Amino acid sequence: NPMNDIINVEFSNEDINNIQLFDASGRVVYSSTVIASKSTIDVSSLATGIYYLNLSGTNFLSTSKLIKN
């Protein structure tokens, strides 16, 4: 999944309470507590490369691989 400067995250799972973005070395570059079912993440300051987006909560974890152009 390619990304540029903004990541829009939308979900319907009410159990999600945390969003984290990791770089390829596993370092957390963004972390936020979820308040609403839609979030916007500004990644314009991040270097090009591979990142992993984690959505997590009670009994739930989803990881997506993203490529910053």
Side-chain angles (χ1 to χ4, degrees):
N1 293 330
M3 65 177 177
N4 290 310
D5 291 336
I6 300 291
I7 301 171
N8 292 305
V9 181
E10 267 188 77
F11 48 87
S12 59
N13 188 332
E14 295 176 5
D15 290 335
I16 295 173
N17 55 27
N18 195 25
I19 297 174
Q20 291 183 307
L21 187 64
F22 297 88
D23 65 13
S25 65
R27 184 175 51 114
V28 176
V29 295
Y30 176 86
S31 183
S32 177
T33 300
V34 173
I35 299 169
S37 62
K38 184 176 182 179
S39 295
T40 300
I41 304 169
D42 182 355
V43 294
S44 60
S45 64
L46 298 180
T48 58
I50 297 172
Y51 293 86
Y52 297 92
L53 179 68
N54 279 2
L55 303 177
S56 61
T58 308
N59 300 317
F60 182 83
L61 176 62
S62 174
T63 303
S64 299
K65 181 179 176 182
L66 304 174
I67 300 170
K68 177 138 186 335
N69 296 324

